[in-house]
Structure formats: C-alpha cells, structure tokens
Amino acid sequence: MLAKRSATLPCRSAAAKPVVRVPASRGRLQVACSSHAKFFVGGNWKCNGSVASVRTLVDELNAGSVPKGVEVVCSPPYIYIDYVMQHLDAQKFALAAQNCWISGNGAFTGEVSAEQLADFGVPWVILGHSERRALCGETNEVVGKKSSHALAAGLGVIACVGETLEQRNGGAMWTVLDAQMKALVDEIKDWSKVVVAYEPVWAIGTGVVATPEQAQEVHARLRAFCAKHLGAAVADKLRIIYGGSVNDANCAELALQEDIDGFLVGGASLKGPAFIKICQSGAAKAQP
C-alpha cells in the first residue's frame, strides 16, 4: 500500500463532476495514493517567442520568488535555449527541451539527439506531448523508445499521456491511458528521473480545465497502474503532474489534490508573473 502524504490532504478518488460537455468517467476509483517526491512545475513555451519576448520573460521569471522545495523547469524553443541558459536564474529554474530524436547522433536532418542535449547541459526533455502525437504521428511505441533512449543518455524525461474528448466520451479513456503507460513501462527500466504528465487533450489550450476531482481521479488511476506494474516503491515516488489550461487562477485548488504532484503549463508559462504564481501554488507540498 502506498503511504499517505498527510492527513490534511485527503485522497479524493470519487467519480468526477462533468465540465463543459466533458463527462466524468464511470464508477468510483478505490486506490491507496500519494507520492512523496518534490513538487514539479514545467513551463512549455512551445513554438512561441521572439528575441525581445524571451528576454522580457526571462527578466520576469528572474524577478519572481519560487519556493525552494519546488522544482521548476522551463522549456523554450531550441533556438532560444542558449540565451535562456545564459540568463535564467539557475538557482530557481532548470531547462528542458521540447523533444529529442529517438536514437543517437547521425544522418537525421533537422533532429536534435538526447546526447547533444546532455552535452550542452540541458537536463530535461518533454516527450510524447499530444501535439507531437497528433501532428507528427508519434505512436505510443515511439514515445516509449524515445523516453528510454533519453534516460540512457542522462536526461530526465517528462513523459506525456492523455486522452481526447472523443476517447473520453466513447468510454475508451482508461484503455487509451493504459496503452500509453504500458508503452513506457515496456521500455523504461529506471523511473527515478521520470515525471509523468497527464494532459487531457480536450483541455490543452482550450480554456477548459478538468475539475480537481476529474484530475485527481485520473492521477490516482495512473499511480495505481504504476503500483501494479512497477511496484509500490516506484509509484510512491513517481511525480504525476497535470497539464491542460493550467493558469494562475485555477492552480491552487488543483495543487491540493493528493495525487497531483505539479503542473506542465502551456500558455500561462509565457507570462512571467502568472507562471511564478503557479510555481508558488506548490508551496504546501514543497520539500527540501
């Protein structure tokens, strides 16, 4: 059985409440839950920014206060990584790339390898984001192999999973999530540098956010899956973070859910003060 985090943060696994035509899953999820790892916030800047806007964003982030017990990474487009590395306060923020190649260096025009990222000093990479799955045709198996290779090269991996609205409405949500997780389990041997990001596709960039109960239900199910396939010790330490229109107005309530160990933030990560507030929402769970 997984240990409880605290008596003040009860595990909530009740059936979710519907929000904006997004139905709850069926039935109650009975699991023992909680992780005991440092709260984690990632800012995914996606394909956004200019020299001027990146400079402004970096200045805003540096001016903000981040709880010491919260781990924060920022993920700029490749072309701005060097500037961000040179100017972003490394005492508060680490860097993540938004993708990497499935294998090592070679004749792969347009790609960047995990080895190159590690060599340049980038410690994290986001893999399997729904936009890459949908727009670039990345399969579960590809995401699993990419994750395994990136870990072997020394990177930490933020591995994304999530269902579409059609899959949720059609009752296939758990089947889809289980398949995405199984592809990771089949390839990854050491989970100590893995963060799983649950990003319901219907909530990414839409302004529609899963209710805290909906998000907690899925996070608890993902942790139960890991406990079954990887063991309770791994599941207890695994950080499962939420992404999907997270902003400075809804982060506090989401952060209180027992199995939400942080956030992967899209649009709000481009606004320095808003992103800092999201980071601060993890203060209650901050660890040294």
Side-chain angles (χ1 to χ4, degrees):
M1 178 177 290
L2 304 184
K4 295 290 184 181
R5 180 186 282 120
S6 76
T8 60
L9 293 173
C11 172
R12 301 182 184 179
S13 58
K17 299 176 182 179
V19 56
V20 193
R21 298 179 59 204
V22 179
S25 61
R26 298 167 177 81
R28 293 179 63 88
L29 191 63
Q30 300 294 334
V31 297
C33 58
S34 82
S35 80
H36 288 76
K38 184 177 290 187
F39 201 81
F40 187 99
V41 180
N44 181 10
W45 300 2
K46 304 187 180 184
C47 187
N48 292 299
S50 63
V51 170
S53 68
V54 167
R55 182 181 294 115
T56 297
L57 179 55
V58 167
D59 289 344
E60 290 176 344
L61 293 174
N62 286 342
S65 176
V66 174
K68 290 184 178 180
V70 174
E71 187 171 1
V72 185
V73 302
C74 294
S75 186
Y78 281 122
I79 197 170
Y80 301 120
I81 283 180
D82 183 55
Y83 177 86
V84 176
M85 180 180 287
Q86 297 299 322
H87 295 87
L88 192 63
D89 188 344
Q91 298 300 311
K92 302 175 186 176
F93 310 99
L95 282 178
Q98 296 178 18
N99 181 48
C100 69
W101 180 234
I102 196 170
S103 64
N105 298 339
F108 309 115
T109 301
E111 293 292 344
V112 175
S113 72
E115 288 82 356
Q116 290 171 328
L117 292 173
D119 179 60
F120 199 67
V122 178
W124 288 91
V125 63
I126 299 171
L127 295 174
H129 193 281
S130 63
E131 291 160 1
R132 292 203 59 84
R133 292 177 186 261
L135 300 176
C136 303
E138 294 190 0
T139 65
N140 294 340
E141 292 70 26
V142 166
V143 174
K145 291 183 183 301
K146 277 190 172 188
S147 298
S148 177
H149 183 79
L151 290 164
L155 300 182
V157 169
I158 304 167
C160 301
V161 300
E163 83 283 1
T164 66
L165 181 59
E166 291 73 20
Q167 290 163 342
R168 175 177 272 259
N169 284 344
M173 177 174 69
W174 300 131
T175 300
V176 169
L177 291 172
D178 285 355
Q180 292 173 342
M181 289 299 299
K182 184 177 185 302
L184 295 171
V185 168
D186 287 347
E187 295 289 343
I188 296 173
K189 307 306 178 186
D190 181 358
W191 284 75
S192 62
K193 295 179 68 176
V194 178
V195 172
V196 172
Y198 169 58
E199 294 199 305
V201 181
W202 44 269
I204 297 175
T206 64
V208 178
V209 184
T211 66
E213 293 80 8
Q214 284 175 319
Q216 165 60 26
E217 180 188 33
V218 176
H219 281 233
R221 168 65 181 257
L222 293 174
R223 199 176 307 284
F225 180 97
C226 292
K228 177 180 178 181
H229 293 276
L230 301 170
V234 172
D236 186 58
K237 295 178 181 179
L238 179 65
R239 289 178 287 189
I240 304 175
I241 64 177
Y242 174 76
S245 296
V246 177
N247 58 45
D248 53 340
N250 58 39
C251 59
E253 187 176 9
L254 286 164
L256 289 177
Q257 302 306 303
E258 184 74 4
D259 283 285
I260 294 180
D261 303 309
F263 303 112
L264 185 57
V265 186
S269 70
L270 300 172
K271 305 170 184 177
F275 187 67
I276 291 295
K277 185 173 180 180
I278 293 170
C279 296
Q280 292 170 345
S281 71
K285 296 179 181 178
Q287 297 184 18

